Amino acid sequence: AAAVTTIGTKFKENGNIIAFTELKYFTGITKIPDDAFKDCTALWKLVLPESITSIGSFAFRNTTNLTNIIIPDKIDTIKSNTFSGCHFKNLVIPDSVVALESDAFGSSSSSSNRSYIESITIGNGVTTIKGDTFSGCSSLKNLILGNGITTIEPYGLSGINGVSITFGNSIISFQKDCMGTAAGFRTTARSIKISDIAVWCQNKFYDATSHPFYAKYDSENDGCSLYINDKLVTNLVIPDGVFLIQPYAFYGCNNIESLTISKDVISIGVSAFFDCDNMLNIYCKPTIPPAIYRDGSGSYENPSFGYNGDSLKIYVPRDSYYQYISYTEDKSGETVQDNWYYYRSNLIPYDFQE
């Protein structure tokens, strides 16, 4: 078997092949060519040899019974349409992969080019999610991104509605339109899962539309849920050692009911907690009022904590209460420091315990 160096398209459209575990012994093969197992509708088990370094486009297209496959760790690039037409339940991209080409997991350009993968895990080797990487993944329900991701380019996460996204422990730049734009192509995330709040506070979102929760997954129930270490967050605590909370960091996290801001925070960006409609209690521990911001010129558009009116209570250190109150001068201009003016009636002196 090791003497064989190519399989060509010998198995293409073979509706009789059921299992091909012997392929793992063909260690002379380094490439799975385009259309290699296309339309092998009866195939349910396939083991690739560890010698494989590349997989061609549409290699597993319409293998409707093949629900799982192990990708060898010598592959460094997932090419366009590599997984178009696949029906995998779960697909794991190994750490050896450093690049995902556009349309790697299928294309939305036609129904025949889409994939039906339900769960994708991206290894730690990938640093950038390029445009339209997942645009053809109409069935994707779970996406796990590795610790290497630092950039999500325009349309990088577009078109995967109702998805749950797990983010690694890396600071990410969410670029303009990274979640898509037009109706039907802008991703509506069901949930976000993270493990490090301090890291998430540092992510850079181009604007509100680049946040996974901008478009509501469930408009009736506002179903956009934040999980930390797989636990649904109702009481969010910003830990000590966090100084800056970037704009839009927790935009639209509707499950948050209370927020505790650590004593070290000095700045809270525009709309950092905007559209957190159920957040009615904020415990703000800094003795020096942190800078908070708003968008717009001369109006209160998208302030840091949103518009929860008189229902919102902001508890501040008793000895600093008058600093917060006196720090409420209205200022105009684009993206200006709001100086707590909008929330002056929500401030309540409070005795924090050490």
Short mmCIF file of all heavy atoms in Angstrom, two decimals, residues 91-142:
data_model
loop_
_atom_site.label_atom_id
_atom_site.label_comp_id
_atom_site.label_asym_id
_atom_site.label_seq_id
_atom_site.Cartn_x
_atom_site.Cartn_y
_atom_site.Cartn_z
N LEU A 91 -16.17 18.58 13.05
CA LEU A 91 -14.93 18.67 12.29
C LEU A 91 -13.90 19.42 13.12
O LEU A 91 -14.15 20.56 13.56
CB LEU A 91 -15.15 19.39 10.96
CG LEU A 91 -13.91 19.61 10.09
CD1 LEU A 91 -13.31 18.28 9.65
CD2 LEU A 91 -14.26 20.46 8.87
N VAL A 92 -12.73 18.80 13.35
CA VAL A 92 -11.66 19.41 14.13
C VAL A 92 -10.49 19.74 13.21
O VAL A 92 -9.95 18.85 12.53
CB VAL A 92 -11.19 18.47 15.26
CG1 VAL A 92 -10.02 19.10 16.02
CG2 VAL A 92 -12.35 18.17 16.21
N ILE A 93 -10.13 21.01 13.16
CA ILE A 93 -8.97 21.46 12.37
C ILE A 93 -7.75 21.44 13.28
O ILE A 93 -7.74 22.12 14.32
CB ILE A 93 -9.20 22.88 11.82
CG1 ILE A 93 -10.49 22.92 10.99
CG2 ILE A 93 -8.01 23.32 11.00
CD1 ILE A 93 -10.52 21.97 9.81
N PRO A 94 -6.71 20.67 12.96
CA PRO A 94 -5.57 20.52 13.88
C PRO A 94 -4.73 21.79 14.00
O PRO A 94 -4.82 22.71 13.18
CB PRO A 94 -4.76 19.38 13.23
CG PRO A 94 -5.11 19.45 11.78
CD PRO A 94 -6.55 19.88 11.72
N ASP A 95 -3.90 21.82 15.03
CA ASP A 95 -3.04 22.99 15.28
C ASP A 95 -2.04 23.24 14.16
O ASP A 95 -1.50 24.34 14.03
CB ASP A 95 -2.28 22.80 16.59
CG ASP A 95 -3.19 22.87 17.81
OD1 ASP A 95 -4.34 23.33 17.66
OD2 ASP A 95 -2.75 22.45 18.90
N SER A 96 -1.77 22.23 13.34
CA SER A 96 -0.81 22.39 12.23
C SER A 96 -1.32 23.36 11.17
O SER A 96 -0.53 23.97 10.44
CB SER A 96 -0.51 21.04 11.58
OG SER A 96 -1.69 20.48 11.03
N VAL A 97 -2.63 23.53 11.08
CA VAL A 97 -3.22 24.42 10.07
C VAL A 97 -3.02 25.87 10.50
O VAL A 97 -3.40 26.26 11.60
CB VAL A 97 -4.72 24.12 9.87
CG1 VAL A 97 -5.36 25.16 8.96
CG2 VAL A 97 -4.90 22.73 9.29
N VAL A 98 -2.41 26.66 9.62
CA VAL A 98 -2.15 28.07 9.91
C VAL A 98 -3.00 29.00 9.05
O VAL A 98 -3.02 30.22 9.30
CB VAL A 98 -0.66 28.41 9.74
CG1 VAL A 98 0.19 27.63 10.74
CG2 VAL A 98 -0.19 28.14 8.31
N ALA A 99 -3.68 28.47 8.05
CA ALA A 99 -4.46 29.34 7.15
C ALA A 99 -5.75 28.66 6.71
O ALA A 99 -5.75 27.47 6.37
CB ALA A 99 -3.63 29.72 5.92
N LEU A 100 -6.82 29.43 6.74
CA LEU A 100 -8.11 28.99 6.20
C LEU A 100 -8.45 29.92 5.03
O LEU A 100 -8.59 31.13 5.21
CB LEU A 100 -9.22 29.10 7.26
CG LEU A 100 -9.02 28.35 8.57
CD1 LEU A 100 -10.14 28.70 9.54
CD2 LEU A 100 -8.99 26.85 8.33
N GLU A 101 -8.56 29.37 3.84
CA GLU A 101 -8.91 30.21 2.69
C GLU A 101 -10.40 30.53 2.71
O GLU A 101 -11.20 29.85 3.36
CB GLU A 101 -8.53 29.49 1.39
CG GLU A 101 -7.03 29.32 1.21
CD GLU A 101 -6.67 28.73 -0.15
OE1 GLU A 101 -7.60 28.37 -0.91
OE2 GLU A 101 -5.46 28.64 -0.45
N SER A 102 -10.77 31.59 2.00
CA SER A 102 -12.18 31.94 1.87
C SER A 102 -12.95 30.74 1.32
O SER A 102 -12.46 30.01 0.47
CB SER A 102 -12.34 33.14 0.95
OG SER A 102 -11.72 34.29 1.50
N ASP A 103 -14.16 30.56 1.82
CA ASP A 103 -15.04 29.45 1.39
C ASP A 103 -14.45 28.08 1.73
O ASP A 103 -14.81 27.08 1.11
CB ASP A 103 -15.34 29.52 -0.11
CG ASP A 103 -16.06 30.80 -0.51
OD1 ASP A 103 -16.86 31.28 0.31
OD2 ASP A 103 -15.84 31.30 -1.62
N ALA A 104 -13.57 28.04 2.72
CA ALA A 104 -12.95 26.75 3.09
C ALA A 104 -13.99 25.71 3.47
O ALA A 104 -13.83 24.53 3.19
CB ALA A 104 -11.98 26.96 4.25
N PHE A 105 -15.07 26.18 4.11
CA PHE A 105 -16.08 25.24 4.58
C PHE A 105 -17.37 25.33 3.75
O PHE A 105 -18.45 25.01 4.22
CB PHE A 105 -16.39 25.52 6.05
CG PHE A 105 -15.19 25.40 6.93
CD1 PHE A 105 -14.47 26.53 7.28
CD2 PHE A 105 -14.75 24.18 7.37
CE1 PHE A 105 -13.34 26.44 8.08
CE2 PHE A 105 -13.62 24.06 8.18
CZ PHE A 105 -12.91 25.20 8.52
N GLY A 106 -17.21 25.74 2.50
CA GLY A 106 -18.36 25.84 1.62
C GLY A 106 -18.66 27.28 1.25
O GLY A 106 -18.18 28.22 1.88
N SER A 107 -19.44 27.44 0.22
CA SER A 107 -19.77 28.76 -0.30
C SER A 107 -21.28 28.95 -0.33
O SER A 107 -22.04 28.01 -0.59
CB SER A 107 -19.19 28.92 -1.71
OG SER A 107 -19.69 30.09 -2.32
N SER A 108 -21.70 30.19 -0.08
CA SER A 108 -23.12 30.51 -0.14
C SER A 108 -23.57 30.87 -1.54
O SER A 108 -24.73 31.19 -1.77
CB SER A 108 -23.43 31.68 0.81
OG SER A 108 -22.71 32.84 0.41
N SER A 109 -22.64 30.80 -2.50
CA SER A 109 -22.96 31.22 -3.87
C SER A 109 -24.01 30.33 -4.52
O SER A 109 -24.76 30.76 -5.40
CB SER A 109 -21.69 31.23 -4.73
OG SER A 109 -21.10 29.94 -4.77
N SER A 110 -24.07 29.06 -4.12
CA SER A 110 -25.10 28.15 -4.63
C SER A 110 -25.35 27.08 -3.59
O SER A 110 -24.48 26.74 -2.79
CB SER A 110 -24.67 27.52 -5.95
OG SER A 110 -23.60 26.63 -5.76
N SER A 111 -26.56 26.52 -3.59
CA SER A 111 -26.91 25.51 -2.59
C SER A 111 -26.03 24.27 -2.71
O SER A 111 -25.77 23.59 -1.71
CB SER A 111 -28.38 25.12 -2.75
OG SER A 111 -28.64 24.62 -4.05
N SER A 112 -25.56 23.97 -3.90
CA SER A 112 -24.73 22.77 -4.09
C SER A 112 -23.34 22.92 -3.48
O SER A 112 -22.64 21.93 -3.28
CB SER A 112 -24.62 22.44 -5.58
OG SER A 112 -24.00 23.51 -6.28
N ASN A 113 -22.93 24.17 -3.22
CA ASN A 113 -21.60 24.41 -2.66
C ASN A 113 -21.62 24.58 -1.15
O ASN A 113 -20.57 24.79 -0.54
CB ASN A 113 -20.98 25.66 -3.29
CG ASN A 113 -20.58 25.43 -4.73
OD1 ASN A 113 -20.46 24.29 -5.17
ND2 ASN A 113 -20.39 26.51 -5.47
N ARG A 114 -22.77 24.52 -0.54
CA ARG A 114 -22.86 24.68 0.90
C ARG A 114 -22.42 23.42 1.63
O ARG A 114 -22.41 22.33 1.06
CB ARG A 114 -24.29 25.05 1.30
CG ARG A 114 -24.72 26.41 0.80
CD ARG A 114 -26.18 26.68 1.09
NE ARG A 114 -26.60 27.95 0.53
CZ ARG A 114 -27.85 28.35 0.42
NH1 ARG A 114 -28.82 27.55 0.84
NH2 ARG A 114 -28.14 29.53 -0.11
N SER A 115 -22.07 23.59 2.89
CA SER A 115 -21.76 22.43 3.72
C SER A 115 -22.83 22.29 4.78
O SER A 115 -23.57 23.23 5.07
CB SER A 115 -20.39 22.57 4.37
OG SER A 115 -20.41 23.55 5.38
N TYR A 116 -22.90 21.10 5.38
CA TYR A 116 -23.90 20.82 6.39
C TYR A 116 -23.23 20.34 7.67
O TYR A 116 -23.76 19.50 8.38
CB TYR A 116 -24.90 19.79 5.84
CG TYR A 116 -25.56 20.27 4.58
CD1 TYR A 116 -24.99 20.01 3.33
CD2 TYR A 116 -26.71 21.04 4.62
CE1 TYR A 116 -25.57 20.50 2.16
CE2 TYR A 116 -27.30 21.53 3.46
CZ TYR A 116 -26.72 21.25 2.24
OH TYR A 116 -27.29 21.74 1.09
N ILE A 117 -22.07 20.93 7.94
CA ILE A 117 -21.31 20.60 9.14
C ILE A 117 -21.98 21.25 10.34
O ILE A 117 -22.36 22.42 10.30
CB ILE A 117 -19.86 21.09 9.01
CG1 ILE A 117 -19.21 20.52 7.74
CG2 ILE A 117 -19.04 20.69 10.23
CD1 ILE A 117 -17.86 21.12 7.41
N GLU A 118 -22.12 20.50 11.43
CA GLU A 118 -22.83 21.01 12.60
C GLU A 118 -21.90 21.65 13.63
O GLU A 118 -22.31 22.57 14.35
CB GLU A 118 -23.63 19.88 13.26
CG GLU A 118 -24.74 19.35 12.35
CD GLU A 118 -25.56 18.27 13.03
OE1 GLU A 118 -25.42 18.09 14.26
OE2 GLU A 118 -26.34 17.61 12.32
N SER A 119 -20.65 21.19 13.71
CA SER A 119 -19.72 21.74 14.69
C SER A 119 -18.32 21.78 14.10
O SER A 119 -17.88 20.80 13.47
CB SER A 119 -19.73 20.88 15.96
OG SER A 119 -18.78 21.36 16.90
N ILE A 120 -17.63 22.92 14.27
CA ILE A 120 -16.26 23.08 13.76
C ILE A 120 -15.39 23.61 14.89
O ILE A 120 -15.75 24.57 15.57
CB ILE A 120 -16.20 24.05 12.57
CG1 ILE A 120 -17.01 23.51 11.39
CG2 ILE A 120 -14.75 24.30 12.16
CD1 ILE A 120 -17.08 24.48 10.21
N THR A 121 -14.23 22.96 15.09
CA THR A 121 -13.23 23.42 16.04
C THR A 121 -11.98 23.83 15.27
O THR A 121 -11.43 23.03 14.51
CB THR A 121 -12.87 22.32 17.05
OG1 THR A 121 -14.03 21.95 17.79
CG2 THR A 121 -11.79 22.80 18.02
N ILE A 122 -11.57 25.08 15.46
CA ILE A 122 -10.38 25.60 14.79
C ILE A 122 -9.20 25.51 15.75
O ILE A 122 -9.27 25.99 16.88
CB ILE A 122 -10.58 27.07 14.35
CG1 ILE A 122 -11.83 27.20 13.47
CG2 ILE A 122 -9.34 27.57 13.60
CD1 ILE A 122 -11.79 26.41 12.20
N GLY A 123 -8.10 24.91 15.31
CA GLY A 123 -6.92 24.75 16.16
C GLY A 123 -6.21 26.05 16.45
O GLY A 123 -6.56 27.12 15.93
N ASN A 124 -5.17 25.97 17.27
CA ASN A 124 -4.46 27.16 17.74
C ASN A 124 -3.50 27.77 16.72
O ASN A 124 -2.94 28.83 16.96
CB ASN A 124 -3.69 26.82 19.02
CG ASN A 124 -4.60 26.46 20.16
OD1 ASN A 124 -5.69 27.01 20.30
ND2 ASN A 124 -4.18 25.51 20.99
N GLY A 125 -3.33 27.11 15.57
CA GLY A 125 -2.38 27.62 14.59
C GLY A 125 -2.94 28.75 13.73
O GLY A 125 -2.17 29.54 13.17
N VAL A 126 -4.24 28.83 13.61
CA VAL A 126 -4.87 29.85 12.76
C VAL A 126 -4.91 31.18 13.51
O VAL A 126 -5.34 31.25 14.66
CB VAL A 126 -6.30 29.42 12.37
CG1 VAL A 126 -7.00 30.53 11.57
CG2 VAL A 126 -6.26 28.14 11.56
N THR A 127 -4.47 32.26 12.83
CA THR A 127 -4.47 33.59 13.45
C THR A 127 -5.52 34.52 12.86
O THR A 127 -5.93 35.48 13.52
CB THR A 127 -3.09 34.26 13.29
OG1 THR A 127 -2.79 34.39 11.89
CG2 THR A 127 -2.00 33.44 13.96
N THR A 128 -5.97 34.25 11.64
CA THR A 128 -6.90 35.15 10.95
C THR A 128 -8.08 34.37 10.37
O THR A 128 -7.88 33.34 9.73
CB THR A 128 -6.19 35.91 9.82
OG1 THR A 128 -5.11 36.67 10.36
CG2 THR A 128 -7.16 36.86 9.11
N ILE A 129 -9.28 34.89 10.61
CA ILE A 129 -10.47 34.37 9.95
C ILE A 129 -10.77 35.29 8.77
O ILE A 129 -11.13 36.45 8.95
CB ILE A 129 -11.68 34.31 10.90
CG1 ILE A 129 -11.37 33.45 12.13
CG2 ILE A 129 -12.91 33.79 10.17
CD1 ILE A 129 -11.10 32.00 11.82
N LYS A 130 -10.59 34.78 7.57
CA LYS A 130 -10.77 35.58 6.38
C LYS A 130 -12.24 35.68 5.98
O LYS A 130 -13.08 34.94 6.47
CB LYS A 130 -9.96 35.00 5.23
CG LYS A 130 -8.46 35.02 5.45
CD LYS A 130 -7.69 34.48 4.25
CE LYS A 130 -6.19 34.55 4.47
NZ LYS A 130 -5.42 34.04 3.31
N GLY A 131 -12.52 36.61 5.08
CA GLY A 131 -13.88 36.81 4.63
C GLY A 131 -14.49 35.57 4.02
O GLY A 131 -13.82 34.84 3.29
N ASP A 132 -15.76 35.30 4.36
CA ASP A 132 -16.54 34.20 3.79
C ASP A 132 -16.00 32.83 4.15
O ASP A 132 -16.30 31.84 3.47
CB ASP A 132 -16.65 34.33 2.27
CG ASP A 132 -17.43 35.56 1.85
OD1 ASP A 132 -18.42 35.88 2.53
OD2 ASP A 132 -17.06 36.20 0.85
N THR A 133 -15.23 32.73 5.20
CA THR A 133 -14.72 31.42 5.61
C THR A 133 -15.85 30.45 5.92
O THR A 133 -15.79 29.27 5.57
CB THR A 133 -13.81 31.57 6.85
OG1 THR A 133 -12.66 32.36 6.50
CG2 THR A 133 -13.33 30.21 7.33
N PHE A 134 -16.91 30.96 6.57
CA PHE A 134 -18.00 30.08 6.99
C PHE A 134 -19.33 30.42 6.29
O PHE A 134 -20.39 29.97 6.73
CB PHE A 134 -18.20 30.19 8.51
CG PHE A 134 -16.97 29.87 9.31
CD1 PHE A 134 -16.18 30.89 9.83
CD2 PHE A 134 -16.58 28.57 9.54
CE1 PHE A 134 -15.05 30.62 10.58
CE2 PHE A 134 -15.45 28.27 10.28
CZ PHE A 134 -14.68 29.30 10.79
N SER A 135 -19.27 31.18 5.21
CA SER A 135 -20.50 31.70 4.61
C SER A 135 -21.44 30.61 4.10
O SER A 135 -22.64 30.83 3.98
CB SER A 135 -20.17 32.66 3.47
OG SER A 135 -19.51 31.98 2.41
N GLY A 136 -20.90 29.45 3.78
CA GLY A 136 -21.74 28.37 3.27
C GLY A 136 -22.16 27.37 4.32
O GLY A 136 -22.73 26.32 4.01
N CYS A 137 -21.92 27.70 5.61
CA CYS A 137 -22.21 26.75 6.70
C CYS A 137 -23.59 27.02 7.28
O CYS A 137 -23.73 27.47 8.42
CB CYS A 137 -21.14 26.86 7.78
SG CYS A 137 -19.48 26.43 7.23
N SER A 138 -24.60 26.72 6.51
CA SER A 138 -25.97 27.04 6.94
C SER A 138 -26.45 26.19 8.09
O SER A 138 -27.42 26.54 8.76
CB SER A 138 -26.92 26.89 5.75
OG SER A 138 -26.85 25.58 5.21
N SER A 139 -25.79 25.06 8.36
CA SER A 139 -26.21 24.16 9.44
C SER A 139 -25.33 24.25 10.68
O SER A 139 -25.55 23.52 11.64
CB SER A 139 -26.21 22.70 8.93
OG SER A 139 -27.11 22.53 7.86
N LEU A 140 -24.35 25.15 10.65
CA LEU A 140 -23.39 25.22 11.75
C LEU A 140 -24.05 25.72 13.03
O LEU A 140 -24.67 26.78 13.04
CB LEU A 140 -22.22 26.14 11.37
CG LEU A 140 -21.03 26.16 12.32
CD1 LEU A 140 -20.37 24.79 12.39
CD2 LEU A 140 -20.01 27.22 11.89
N LYS A 141 -23.92 24.96 14.10
CA LYS A 141 -24.50 25.32 15.39
C LYS A 141 -23.45 25.65 16.43
O LYS A 141 -23.72 26.40 17.37
CB LYS A 141 -25.39 24.18 15.91
CG LYS A 141 -26.57 23.87 15.01
CD LYS A 141 -27.44 25.10 14.75
CE LYS A 141 -28.59 24.81 13.81
NZ LYS A 141 -29.33 26.05 13.45
N ASN A 142 -22.24 25.09 16.29
CA ASN A 142 -21.18 25.35 17.26
C ASN A 142 -19.88 25.62 16.54
O ASN A 142 -19.45 24.84 15.67
CB ASN A 142 -21.00 24.15 18.20
CG ASN A 142 -22.20 23.94 19.10
OD1 ASN A 142 -22.43 24.70 20.02
ND2 ASN A 142 -22.97 22.89 18.82
#
